Amino acid sequence: MAAGAGSGAQFVDRVVLHVVAGAGGNGCASIHREKFKPLGGPDGANGGRGGDVILEVDSNAASLLEYHRRPHRKARNGKQGQGGHRTGADGGDVVLPVPDGTVVKSADGEVLADLVGEGTRYVVAKGGRGGLGNAALASAKRKAPGFALLGEPGDEGDVVLELKSVADVALVGFPSAGKSSLIAALSAAKPKIADYPFTTLVPNLGVVGAGDTTFTVADVPGLIEGASEGRGLGLEFLRHIERSSTLAHVLDCATPEPGRDPLSDFEVIERELQAYDRILGDRPLSDRPRLVVLNKVDVPTGASWPRWSGPSSRSAG
Ligand SMILES: Nc1nc2c(ncn2[C@@H]2O[C@H](COP(=O)(O)OP(=O)(O)OP(=O)(O)O)[C@@H](O)[C@H]2O)c(=O)[nH]1
Ligand SMILES: [Mg+2]
């Protein structure tokens, strides 16, 4: 899956990750030997535990791009046990940093974990247990077993990681309305800004300080009419606004495109939000408070847009 421009664009905030946990080390069969003591007890130790593959929310991880580039991750195997009661070393865990709001799904779409909050962890592949050595297998009946157990294999498989942004306010609007420009102006975020549609392919998060309050804003990819049926970037956008408590419409007051104006753009986006509600079920988007941002009013055609004096002027004009 790669980021690209145009209607074939895909998000890199959805990746299939192939994980392999470490296998447990084998147990050891060994008999203690000492001069003049030919039948010492069993002293073969257990193998070490295989390493886990763990996902951990880390605020330094902004995207899943890293796992798009290297989708195969493996933890180390446990070491074999040895004679003289020397237990095999455990295989090291592999901790993979993921952004806040990463959802972990099985290959067939079942949600396994929803990772929200710095430091939240999920063991995505568990390492195998080390095999028992013959010392641990000794019993009253069999004082010195001549065998040991093999280590267990670690978990292995594919999981799907999806990023669902966690932001208080989500900016919604047509492509090129100026959502990324707005978040760049409000916060320290430095998103890509350009005058072609679908510049933003992965969401940008910004932290906005206003007096004593701090809130987060998500700049998400542009929406177009029919997005709920898959046009443009379609439903991909949905998961980024799903968790936001407030939606802010960014309206382009100076679009040169024929047939578009701020009011009809607003209505198109509202219709899309309602269409998404059927998909979201019990967490409707259309119930959430909305803000409206009139953008590009510095452009002469925008500032003087003749019909803009509120929704009621529309029927009159
Ligand atoms: N004149 C003017 N231009 C603006 C304003 N805000 C944004 N622009 C320009 O509009 C174009 C699109 O801006 P972006 O911020 O990339 O728009 P976007 O909504 O993030 O677009 P997508 O990511 O494609 O959905 C850029 O060329 C910006 O420089 C504004 O207030 N006034
Ligand atoms: Mg943008």
Side-chain angles (χ1 to χ4, degrees):
M1 248 172 278
S7 57
Q10 298 250 338
F11 282 75
V12 289
D13 51 358
R14 182 176 189 280
V15 294
V16 179
L17 188 67
H18 186 77
V19 286
V20 186
N26 296 336
C28 167
S30 163
I31 302 294
H32 183 70
R33 280 175 217 285
E34 235 175 274
K35 254 186 186 171
F36 313 119
K37 269 176 114 185
L39 281 181
D43 71 350
N46 303 340
R49 186 181 67 82
D52 297 338
V53 180
I54 300 170
L55 304 174
E56 184 180 76
V57 174
D58 182 336
S59 53
N60 293 316
S63 79
L64 298 168
L65 198 60
E66 173 70 21
Y67 305 112
H68 168 65
R69 295 200 181 111
R70 279 184 54 212
H72 292 260
R73 301 299 175 120
K74 189 177 185 316
R76 284 176 172 271
N77 295 338
K79 288 260 163 45
Q80 193 157 345
Q82 291 185 24
H85 297 290
R86 278 169 297 163
T87 303
D90 290 343
D93 294 339
V94 165
V95 179
L96 305 175
V98 294
D100 199 7
T102 299
V103 179
V104 188
K105 292 184 176 172
S106 66
D108 46 22
E110 186 199 343
V111 175
L112 304 173
D114 188 353
L115 305 177
V116 176
E118 180 80 19
T120 306
R121 284 186 152 211
Y122 177 69
V123 177
V124 76
K126 184 131 194 62
R129 285 182 301 182
L132 295 179
N134 68 340
L137 292 167
S139 64
K141 258 182 152 175
R142 188 185 254 132
K143 293 211 169 58
F147 59 91
L149 300 186
L150 295 174
E152 293 176 346
D155 293 344
E156 174 172 357
D158 287 340
V159 288
V160 178
L161 303 184
E162 276 182 8
L163 182 55
K164 281 194 188 182
S165 310
V166 184
D168 300 313
V169 181
L171 303 180
V172 294
F174 270 71
S176 298
K179 301 176 294 299
S180 300
S181 306
L182 183 63
I183 202 172
L186 289 172
S187 73
K190 292 195 173 53
K192 185 169 170 191
I193 294 169
D195 63 357
Y196 56 84
F198 301 116
T199 304
T200 302
L201 291 173
V202 292
N204 303 294
L205 288 189
V207 180
V208 182
D212 292 338
T213 50
T214 306
F215 59 95
T216 51
V217 179
D219 162 33
V220 304
L223 258 178
I224 57 173
E225 182 152 28
S228 56
E229 283 125 47
R231 282 188 66 206
L233 292 174
L235 294 167
E236 295 288 345
F237 131 105
L238 183 60
R239 59 177 184 264
H240 299 298
I241 63 170
E242 201 185 314
R243 298 198 215 246
S244 299
S245 55
T246 302
L247 306 178
H249 281 274
V250 179
L251 300 177
D252 184 344
C253 296
T255 176
E257 279 181 49
R260 276 185 55 194
D261 62 57
L263 191 55
S264 65
D265 282 3
F266 175 87
E267 287 167 350
V268 166
I269 301 289
E270 282 294 312
R271 272 203 299 277
E272 291 303 321
L273 296 178
Q274 271 159 29
Y276 285 123
D277 281 352
R278 289 196 282 278
I279 298 160
L280 277 182
D282 54 344
R283 305 177 57 202
L285 293 172
S286 52
D287 279 4
R288 300 182 203 185
R290 318 277 211 295
L291 300 169
V292 177
V293 179
L294 300 179
N295 201 33
K296 305 198 190 179
V297 291
D298 56 306
V299 180
T301 55
S304 63
W305 189 62
R307 287 182 297 158
W308 185 266
S309 60
S312 59
S313 68
R314 187 152 218 254
S315 46

